[in-house]
Amino acid sequence: LAQASVTQQLAGRPEPLGGSAMSTLRALFVSLAAIVARAHIEGAVRREQASSIGRDELECGHSGECFSSWMQVHARPAPVAKQAEAAALPTSPSKEVGTKRLPKIYVYDLPAEVTFNGETMVFRDNTTCEAMATGTEEDDTCVFGPHFNVSLAASPAPLAVRDVEQFQLGDILLFSLQRHPRRTQDPDEADLFFIPAIQKHPRYPWDQQGVYSAEALVQHLPHLRADNAKRHIWMSPSPAWSHSTCPAFDSQPSDPHPDNQLLAATTKVALEDAVSAPTEAFVDDWEVMDNVRSTQPKASNLHSIPYPSFTSGLEAAQLEAFRAASAVPRTRQNFVAAMWGMHGPSRSMDQRTELQLQCNKSSDCIVLSLDGLRYETNSEVVVFGSLDATFCLQPEGDTPSRKGMVDSILTGCIPVLFSPLQTKLWPWHIERWEDIAIAMDGVPSDIMGRLSQVSTDEIERLRTNMLAVLPRLSYSLPGKPRPEDALETTLAAILKLAQ
């Protein structure tokens, strides 16, 4: 409305607008959309809290700060909103998700490398970004990748997003917690503790140089005790299968050494966990590259959190602008999109091969091959392909999860899953996969026929729910946390577990 009004007023001007003036107006429109969207959401939160949440229902951390959270989810029996209502961002909650604390976090000042018993031990094997100046654009780009622009019909200006590398969660969590406004230097007032021992690169049996021991790590964690171990957070930026974690990370309560037992009691997060992994019965199907057997995650107290994607590392206004533009219904050129490379274990390869054969036979399905690009970010290809499709096929990757599952949710391209294991991923951030995805047990003989039976009402329901989940799948810039973002959701869930 604002754009139309200004356009009409400018129609009578004797001189045309210059490029800078038009750029200013476009920026104004984007900012206006973000402000309206955010005010709409915040107003609904305040109304909900005032009407249904008493002070006695809130939980508070050591600092006395409290808040309540909610996420709107349209369950299948709910009526589908009218088109005009579907275009608006979700506002009023239909389900109470519980209350969360605002925890204070203590981050250990752990060096990247130490000498222990005469041996060099590496606590962090990727320290490139640690040398950057804090809070600079160069620093943010190192952690989240460079910006690139996408265009949506509802936005008069291009929308900035990020080319995030899929295994970058180590740096994201490290820098976000180091610069967190609720970081405390006093361990006595901390609700949670973060252990910055992060292994990004795989370690195979023949490459164990620098791998640290449980004893070496515990010696550098002076505040770790049996009674607060569960409040200590330890993370792997990978799916946490064998070779992507160190032996200390996989410590078990039954280990003979007390230091291993202590580390076993800590809370771990990774892209996958034992619940979402295949059982022992068919683990033989899972072989990683280089002829090395890979087995499912075995770390104790391990929980899965989502991959970082292209909406991570954005300023609040940038995220809201993308979300507001995504909420407006638009025509998508492709019915189904298939985007992957032909690699992975036999189980994944079988799924990908069959789906690609079926997709190639249909004019309603587009195949975007990522062959030869396994170690590239591929963000632009995947984001543009997903934004232009109604359904995005998501076969398993080298393990059950893949970053494309998050990419498709954020673009409003309905993910189609082919393993029940995939629906067990990231439960803190996605409560019910059936509210945002089409889940199948294996590849059907006619995938296009199955998807053509999904009603328009169901498509709208899934898209509306995906839009509501978007903030919980986005990691904020370090030092600028947002309520309900991916990290705050994780911290609140861990604190609840610890209690």
Side-chain angles (χ1 to χ4, degrees), residues 33-63:
I35 291 169
V36 171
R38 185 158 52 186
H40 208 39
I41 295 169
E42 291 176 351
V45 174
R46 286 193 297 270
R47 289 192 297 274
E48 176 66 14
Q49 290 178 338
S51 62
S52 64
I53 301 176
R55 174 71 185 182
D56 59 334
E57 294 177 275
L58 295 175
E59 298 182 61
C60 307
H62 291 174
S63 60

Side-chain angles (χ1 to χ4, degrees), residues 245-370:
T245 58
C246 66
F249 190 85
D250 292 337
S251 294
Q252 299 295 310
S254 58
D255 288 343
H257 199 285
D259 289 338
N260 289 92
Q261 296 171 15
L262 193 56
L263 292 177
T266 62
T267 299
K268 291 104 179 165
V269 293
L271 299 176
E272 296 184 18
D273 55 19
V275 176
S276 59
T279 63
E280 197 67 38
F282 59 95
V283 72
D284 286 342
D285 285 343
W286 293 89
E287 302 283 348
V288 295
M289 306 307 103
D290 303 319
N291 297 315
V292 178
R293 172 70 57 85
S294 183
T295 55
Q296 66 268 56
K298 62 180 182 180
S300 59
N301 300 319
L302 178 64
H303 305 271
S304 65
I305 60 176
Y307 288 82
S309 188
F310 64 93
T311 58
S312 293
L314 299 182
E315 296 286 354
Q318 293 173 323
L319 181 66
E320 291 302 336
F322 178 84
R323 191 174 181 225
S326 299
V328 180
R330 65 182 187 278
T331 301
R332 296 181 182 238
Q333 298 300 315
N334 302 306
F335 185 57
V336 177
M339 296 170 284
W340 54 71
M342 297 304 292
H343 63 79
S346 59
R347 183 181 177 87
S348 172
M349 282 290 290
D350 290 346
Q351 290 181 1
R352 295 180 181 208
T353 300
E354 175 60 25
L355 288 170
Q356 190 161 319
L357 285 173
Q358 292 190 39
C359 193
N360 282 330
K361 294 177 182 178
S362 173
S363 59
D364 291 328
C365 184
I366 183 172
V367 176
L368 298 176
S369 175
L370 302 179

